[in-house]
Amino acid sequence: MTFKDTTKLSLEISTLLEEINQLPKVNCSQCGTAYRGEEKNFICTSCKEKKQERLETEMKKNYQIQRLFNLSNIPKRYKRAIFQPKTEIQKEVVQYFIENFTQNGLFGAKASDSKASTDILLFGAIGTGKTYISCAFALELIKKDQKSVKFITEYDLLALYFEKNYTAFKSFKECEILILDEIGKRVLAEWQRVQLEELLSHRYNEMLPTVYITNLEQNGFRDFLGSRLADRLRENGLKRFAFDGESLRVE
C-alpha cells in the first residue's frame, strides 16, 4: 500500500468516525446507558447477557425444585397442601417451623436465634391436620430454600429395608429433613425395631431434623421408641405439639 493509499484510507476512517459521532444517542431501554445510532427501545448487549444469566439461573432453580418435589415422596393427596394454619395448634406448629427450620424464615420472617430443637413431635387425635400441615411445610421449604425434605410412613420405610431397597432406605436416613408418619401404628418385629432405631440414632447423631407424627399419646410414643431413643430425644429438646379436638376431615 502506497503512502497515497494510506492517506486516503485514514481520511475515509476519519470521515466515518465523524459521521458516527453525529448520530443521535439513544438510551438502552433496560439500563439507560446512551448509545449512538441505535433504534428506539433497543436493549444493549450487556443487558441481554444479564437477562440470559437470570433466565439460566431461574431455570436451574426450577429444575432443582422439581427434582426435590419428585424425590420428596409426599402423597398425592397432600401435593397441593397450603402452608396456612386452620386451628390454634396448627398456628403454633407453623410458627415454630418458620422460626426454627428455615435459613432466613419464610414470608420474610427472621430465623430464630434460640437453640430450639430441630426435632418435633406431632401427636394426638386422628384427622386434626398433623400430616397435612407437615406436608405443606415440606412443600414450602422445598420451594423457598430448595431443601431435601422427605415424607414416609413408618411401615413404608421399614418395607424398603425388607425389600432390600437399601439405596432408597438410605436416602430417607440421610435427607436434610425427614417427616416420619404413622409411628407406632403397628407392633414391630425385632428386626424392624432395630432398623428404625438405627435410622433415628443416625439422624440424632448427625443432627438431622426429624418430624415425628403419631396418633399415640406422649407416654405411648415414648414407650414405643424405648428408653434409649426417648432419652436421646429428650436430651435434644424434642418440641411436642398435642393435636386435640374433632377431626377436620369432611364426612
Side-chain angles (χ1 to χ4, degrees):
M1 182 179 291
T2 65
F3 176 77
K4 183 178 180 180
D5 292 335
T6 302
T7 302
K8 182 180 179 181
L9 179 60
S10 298
L11 181 61
E12 290 175 351
I13 293 174
S14 298
T15 303
L16 179 61
L17 290 174
E18 184 177 347
E19 291 176 353
I20 292 174
N21 288 332
Q22 290 176 353
L23 290 173
K25 287 187 176 182
V26 180
N27 294 335
C28 168
S29 60
Q30 298 291 321
C31 66
T33 303
Y35 292 84
R36 293 189 184 279
E38 297 289 351
E39 296 181 359
K40 189 177 180 180
N41 297 324
F42 89 103
I43 301 175
C44 69
T45 302
S46 178
C47 286
K48 288 180 180 178
E49 291 176 349
K50 290 178 181 178
K51 182 179 180 180
Q52 184 61 32
E53 290 175 1
R54 288 195 299 269
L55 288 174
E56 291 177 358
T57 299
E58 189 65 22
M59 287 177 61
K60 289 178 181 178
K61 178 182 176 181
N62 290 336
Y63 173 81
Q64 175 69 352
I65 289 173
Q66 189 58 54
R67 187 182 73 85
L68 291 172
F69 277 150
N70 294 340
L71 294 173
S72 68
N73 198 47
I74 293 174
K76 186 176 182 179
R77 180 175 296 277
Y78 302 112
K79 283 188 180 295
R80 295 186 181 276
I82 301 173
F83 197 48
Q84 295 177 355
K86 297 180 179 179
T87 63
E88 288 302 315
I89 187 61
Q90 285 188 6
K91 289 179 182 178
E92 292 181 34
V93 172
V94 164
Q95 188 61 35
Y96 192 83
F97 277 141
I98 291 172
E99 291 181 350
N100 296 282
F101 277 72
T102 62
Q103 291 178 342
N104 299 313
L106 302 179
F107 315 120
K110 292 183 179 179
S112 172
D113 292 329
S114 66
K115 295 182 179 179
S117 169
T118 53
D119 289 330
I120 291 181
L121 170 62
L122 309 183
F123 69 94
I126 296 172
T128 49
K130 300 185 295 296
T131 300
Y132 182 93
I133 204 66
S134 298
C135 288
F137 160 69
L139 294 172
E140 193 73 14
L141 195 56
I142 290 172
K143 181 179 178 181
K144 297 283 185 177
D145 292 339
Q146 290 83 67
K147 292 293 185 181
S148 172
V149 189
K150 288 180 175 288
F151 172 95
I152 196 167
T153 65
E154 174 199 278
Y155 177 85
D156 288 337
L157 176 66
L158 294 172
L160 291 175
Y161 191 88
F162 179 76
E163 295 164 0
K164 298 184 179 180
N165 193 344
Y166 301 129
T167 300
F169 185 83
K170 186 178 180 182
S171 73
F172 288 95
K173 183 178 181 179
E174 298 180 348
C175 65
E176 290 181 278
I177 297 177
L178 174 65
I179 300 172
L180 186 58
D181 200 0
E182 297 185 357
I183 301 174
K185 187 175 181 179
R186 300 169 180 81
V187 177
L188 298 183
E190 183 60 26
W191 72 267
Q192 292 175 314
R193 181 168 294 280
V194 169
Q195 292 307 319
L196 181 62
E197 184 173 312
E198 286 296 325
L199 181 142
L200 296 181
S201 292
H202 171 82
R203 297 190 61 80
Y204 167 83
N205 290 329
E206 296 301 319
M207 301 178 70
L208 296 170
T210 305
V211 179
Y212 301 89
I213 304 176
T214 182
N215 292 328
L216 299 172
E217 293 301 321
Q218 284 194 74
N219 290 341
F221 175 74
R222 181 187 60 205
D223 294 341
F224 175 80
L225 285 185
S227 58
R228 191 165 78 91
L229 272 179
D231 284 345
R232 285 189 166 192
L233 293 180
R234 183 166 54 249
E235 176 190 354
N236 203 35
L238 177 70
K239 184 68 175 179
R240 304 170 179 85
F241 293 95
F243 281 66
D244 299 319
E246 299 295 325
S247 173
L248 299 176
R249 294 177 183 140
V250 179
E251 295 183 359

